[in-house]
Amino acid sequence: MSRRTTPEEPGSPAPEPGAPPRTVLLRGGTVHTPADPFATAMVVRGDTVAWVGAEGAADSFTEAADEVVDLRGALVTPAFVDAHVHATATGLALTGLDLSGARDAEDLLRRVREHAHRLPADEVVLGHGWDTAGWSDPRPPGRDRLDEAAGGRPAYLTRVDVHSALVSTALVDRLPGVTGQPGFDADGPLTDAAHHAVRRVAHGSIGPTVRRAAQRAALRRAAELGIGGLHECAGPEISSVEDLTDLFRLAAENPAPRVHGYWAEAVTEPDAAVAIRELGAAGAAGDLFVDGSLGSHTALLEAPYEDAPHRHGTAHLDVAAVADHVTACTLAGVQAGFHAIGDAAVATVVEGVRTAAGRVGVDRVRALRHRVEHAEMLTADTVAAFADLALTASVQPAFDAAWGGPDGMYATRLGRERAAGLNPFAALLRAGVPLALGSDAPVTPLDPWGALRAAAHHRNPAHRISVRAAFAAHTRGGWRALGRDDGGVLVPGAPADYAVWRVGELVVQAPDDRVARWSTDPRSATPGLPDLSPGEPSPVCLRTVVAGRVIHTAG
């Protein structure tokens, strides 16, 4: 007899190895599928979607189903894929010292002092999220004041963009040579090579128990938000091989989102690219830095910063290095990718990829769907080049929500005219550039519906895209960025990665104020999505399922 449940209840246990796959029927709700805009039911057999359709036809599956889920009007969608995450750092931010709400230097120091007081005397103080952009006095605290607040402990406090950090003297003393590296400041935040060096030392102090707890917290939070897949952006300047393989192991051994890892290490030979794939990585990509970030004045610009006229940012890779990396990866059949934010950095990537295409053939380059993380500061020429070279743009709409607009951090750094051109999602889609949406957590929180809202309500109306397009980029786009075209959509034969949501009225939203922004007319035959107008509540995730296995229930 079928077991009957609701989405908030735990699903039936996974079958024993060798047992026949379980059949689950979900009915009585709305299924977001291109196969049938009026679908109210879905059948999952094992780890695969077997059928979607109308309520009447669902009756024929009832007797054979091991479990029947009464949706009670809930919405079923493909699970989200967050295309850019740092899981351990996200977990540490969720469970540790959160500095995102610090109002000024004094408030930051108070939070550090209270947190440090609870730690053992030799433990590193790790904190994340401070941002002077909203402070009345934008000067961060000096090192001597941080030393006092940390009680003499090593302290590593990352800015919200994780491209600079406040550090204590005790941490600097653990790496004496850091004082001569680029980006070192005797009293202020560290950037560039100096920052990367102290980050390795700080993160190296984290034991396996703390790391596992942090990773578990990040995976749990993702599952609670209907995220079924994460692209972990690891690398020698960000984390460690041990951190990445521990995350793979944790996700494989527990009910959790899928983890697809990238390892950001530049290579010059195909064998080195193959070695990266043998780590279990999806590619030699992710945060392979061509530049830094706008907030830390390290994104590489063609023209200087508005608020730092002597600075153009920091270059980590040049055209030759990009070309060598893409050439080696393409010859090995391994996906390549880069972190590039500023216009000069994006141009460097484009020129390097073109050079590689001249060496190995443009069709071979296109076939691997090499990717660019962030890709914020684009021109018409670089947008066209992305389309021509079949580059995937891995983008974060929450960046615009946090720092866009005429009075935001972007405008402070670049001036209003240049800032208005950032994150041109509509231009990328019009050109046919594949988009994959992510959060860059912990830079911005895991929040897929928030990302859709930010993309549809971009601070520059010219860059807005429809909720439907953003949804596709945050579900199917994450699979396609991995080179897979079978996931992120609920059709027969697709992986059974889905989420069940408590929602209000479903609508079809457009990005342009000259067009009706929503429609509830079923004759449009377009699957609806929740209303993400500003001020509307986000949907509540009732159940998340990956490969047919329940990884979260609201109950």
Side-chain angles (χ1 to χ4, degrees), residues 351-375:
E351 189 175 347
V353 177
R354 281 206 186 283
T355 300
R359 296 172 182 171
V360 302
V362 68
D363 288 342
R364 293 183 71 179
V365 166
R366 290 170 176 161
L368 285 166
R369 306 182 188 184
H370 301 309
R371 53 190 282 170
V372 184
E373 309 301 315
H374 316 309

Side-chain angles (χ1 to χ4, degrees), residues 149-374:
R153 296 172 179 80
Y156 173 72
L157 314 176
T158 48
R159 189 185 181 278
V160 64
D161 58 11
V162 201
H163 282 270
S164 59
L166 295 168
V167 300
S168 68
T169 301
L171 183 58
V172 172
D173 288 347
R174 291 192 176 187
L175 194 65
V178 75
T179 58
Q181 294 197 30
F184 182 79
D185 188 307
D187 197 46
L190 304 192
T191 61
D192 201 5
H195 174 228
H196 295 160
V198 297
R199 173 162 54 191
R200 282 192 292 272
V201 173
H203 285 180
S205 71
I206 301 171
T209 301
V210 173
R211 178 169 58 244
R212 191 173 185 85
Q215 292 176 344
R216 193 183 297 278
L219 294 176
R220 181 171 58 249
R221 181 60 177 156
E224 291 169 353
L225 295 169
I227 297 171
L230 301 172
H231 295 190
E232 168 70 8
C233 292
E237 294 182 341
I238 303 163
S239 55
S240 66
V241 169
E242 183 182 23
D243 183 88
L244 179 61
T245 55
D246 281 354
L247 181 63
F248 284 153
R249 190 177 303 111
L250 181 66
E253 294 174 352
N254 296 274
R258 301 176 192 260
V259 173
H260 308 278
Y262 284 92
W263 185 252
E265 184 172 0
V267 300
T268 58
E269 298 295 333
D271 287 350
V274 171
I276 288 175
R277 184 168 56 197
E278 289 172 348
L279 292 174
D287 275 334
L288 181 50
F289 297 119
V290 177
D291 67 345
S293 74
L294 291 165
S296 292
H297 291 101
T298 52
L300 190 63
L301 308 182
E302 298 284 1
Y305 282 87
E306 185 78 10
D307 60 343
H310 60 292
R311 300 186 66 171
H312 285 257
T314 303
H316 295 286
L317 297 176
D318 60 14
V319 170
V322 170
D324 288 346
H325 183 73
V326 174
T327 299
C329 288
T330 303
L331 290 173
V334 173
Q335 187 181 35
F338 306 90
H339 162 120
I341 287 179
D343 51 358
V346 174
T348 296
V349 171
V350 165
E351 189 175 347
V353 177
R354 281 206 186 283
T355 300
R359 296 172 182 171
V360 302
V362 68
D363 288 342
R364 293 183 71 179
V365 166
R366 290 170 176 161
L368 285 166
R369 306 182 188 184
H370 301 309
R371 53 190 282 170
V372 184
E373 309 301 315
H374 316 309

Side-chain angles (χ1 to χ4, degrees), residues 34 367 369 392 434 475-495:
R369 306 182 188 184
T392 294
T475 50
R476 200 167 195 177
W479 286 83
R480 287 177 166 171
L482 296 162
R484 290 186 59 174
D485 295 328
D486 60 331
V489 60
L490 300 179
V491 295

Side-chain angles (χ1 to χ4, degrees), residues 492-515:
D497 289 23
Y498 61 91
V500 182
W501 308 91
R502 182 188 301 125
V503 296
E505 188 174 34
L506 301 180
V507 299
V508 179
Q509 293 161 282
D512 193 325
D513 287 330
R514 294 170 298 179
V515 180

